[in-house]
Amino acid sequence: MPICIECRHPVKTLWREGGGGKSGGHNIRLTVCKNCGRFCDKYVEHDFVVMFIDLVLIKPQVYRHLLHNTLMKEKDEFAPSIIRLGILLLLFDVYLTWARIERGQSASVPDPDSPGVSNANTNFGRLAQQPIVFQYMFFLLLCTLSTIAFHGSIRFLTSSRFSPLALLGILPRYSRPNSVSTALLVSSSTKLFPILMVIWEYDVPAAARSLGWAVVANNVEALKILLDCGYGTAALLATAGAVSRWAMGRAVLWAAGLEGVDAGSGATEVAEDGRAFVAMLAYARDWAGRLAVG
């Protein structure tokens, strides 16, 4: 049953068809919620661009519209648009991961046979010498397994009868695991921002990791809205998923002999993320200034 995106009150219908005009067309009249007196779902009349902007702004109303009134199926099936979005996000993840690892190692592997080069750098140098299709399949496998670990861990914690959160009474068992994955995919749409790298000059350090912070914030909001839980529980779920993704990525790199690639201490990575975030803000300010000037 659909809900009012403002107060979450269940409603029978979100809109009704009005009378036809002189041109023979039909008008849509939004339903007013009897509980809060506002439109049940204003996004019925909004296009995708407006919804995407509100997703970036982490507005809970747009998440309720997408998760409860649009994408949720009765039999807990994936909508075709969500499958396409998942494939697109995976391909973007492959590109970002490949670019980040290659950029971080390119300066340190001039010659695999030179002394002082670690085994990880040597193995990466050998990987870089393989055909481009082989390299792409490796990073595709890496990102696919990492994504499966991310979704699988959160689905287990929310929907399994053996979930420690359910056994401890922290979170009631949610019987729609595919809806959980749908919420995670929708809230990960921020990953599509690096498409701007193709259009504008994009030279911000650790931009991919900084973008991950925004994705995590969207994941927390989506889980909170879907599961009707607190921010603490949603943050715990998102953290568990992120740790599972990281562990799977480390395991794949270790199996390939690349355990030292893109590795660093936690404090160093946090500091780099902070500096990258400030650099991104400065870059956005300069870019907006150039637009204002003309």
Side-chain angles (χ1 to χ4, degrees), residues 33 167 181 226 276:
C33 178
L167 296 177
S181 292
L226 179 68

Side-chain angles (χ1 to χ4, degrees), residues 11-283:
V11 295
K12 293 182 179 181
T13 180
L14 300 175
W15 56 274
R16 60 187 179 88
E17 193 173 316
K22 294 182 180 180
S23 60
H26 295 278
N27 298 322
I28 292 179
R29 296 183 179 180
L30 299 180
T31 303
V32 176
C33 178
K34 297 181 180 179
N35 185 54
C36 65
R38 290 177 286 185
F39 289 128
C40 293
D41 194 342
K42 61 183 179 181
Y43 290 102
V44 171
E45 295 184 327
H46 291 180
D47 56 15
F48 178 75
V49 176
V50 176
M51 288 190 288
F52 182 76
I53 294 175
D54 286 350
L55 279 174
V56 174
L57 297 176
I58 319 182
K59 290 189 175 182
Q61 290 86 352
V62 69
Y63 279 108
R64 294 183 187 125
H65 163 76
L66 292 172
L67 299 179
H68 290 280
N69 297 342
T70 304
L71 299 175
M72 186 174 291
K73 304 296 183 180
E74 293 184 0
K75 297 182 179 181
D76 193 30
E77 299 175 349
F78 285 113
S81 58
I82 290 299
I83 297 177
R84 292 192 294 267
L85 176 62
I87 295 175
L88 183 62
L89 291 175
L90 178 62
L91 297 181
F92 264 83
D93 205 15
V94 170
Y95 168 73
L96 291 176
T97 304
W98 192 351
R100 185 179 70 251
I101 294 180
E102 189 175 53
R103 184 177 304 174
Q105 297 297 315
S106 58
S108 59
V109 287
D111 184 7
D113 297 327
S114 61
V117 178
S118 65
N119 291 333
N121 290 338
T122 302
N123 291 336
F124 182 82
R126 293 172 181 171
L127 175 64
Q129 295 175 358
Q130 298 298 321
I132 195 70
V133 176
F134 181 87
Q135 297 182 49
Y136 186 85
M137 294 304 297
F138 170 77
F139 286 104
L140 179 62
L141 177 64
L142 170 64
C143 294
T144 300
L145 293 178
S146 299
T147 302
I148 292 175
F150 175 71
H151 284 259
S153 60
I154 297 180
R155 287 165 64 109
F156 171 78
L157 291 175
T158 56
S159 303
S160 174
R161 65 180 63 181
F162 304 107
S163 168
L165 298 182
L167 296 177
L168 295 175
I170 299 176
L171 180 70
R173 180 172 174 267
Y174 191 74
S175 60
R176 300 173 62 90
N178 287 340
S179 296
V180 174
S181 292
T182 297
L184 295 173
L185 290 173
V186 170
S187 59
S188 299
S189 300
T190 316
K191 287 184 178 180
L192 301 179
F193 269 123
I195 192 64
L196 299 177
M197 297 170 64
V198 182
I199 306 174
W200 290 289
E201 182 183 359
Y202 198 87
D203 191 16
V204 179
R209 289 206 304 268
S210 297
L211 187 65
W213 289 101
V215 174
V216 170
N218 282 271
N219 290 156
V220 171
E221 184 67 28
L223 290 172
K224 174 184 177 296
I225 292 172
L226 179 68
L227 303 175
D228 194 20
C229 61
Y231 278 110
T233 303
L236 177 62
L237 292 171
T239 301
V243 171
S244 299
R245 175 195 287 271
W246 175 84
M248 178 61 72
R250 293 294 95 187
V252 174
L253 291 176
W254 175 82
L258 303 175
E259 63 275 6
V261 170
D262 196 33
S265 61
T268 302
E269 292 184 356
V270 171
E272 290 180 356
D273 288 346
R275 290 193 296 268
F277 182 71
V278 173
M280 286 176 56
L281 292 179
Y283 184 84

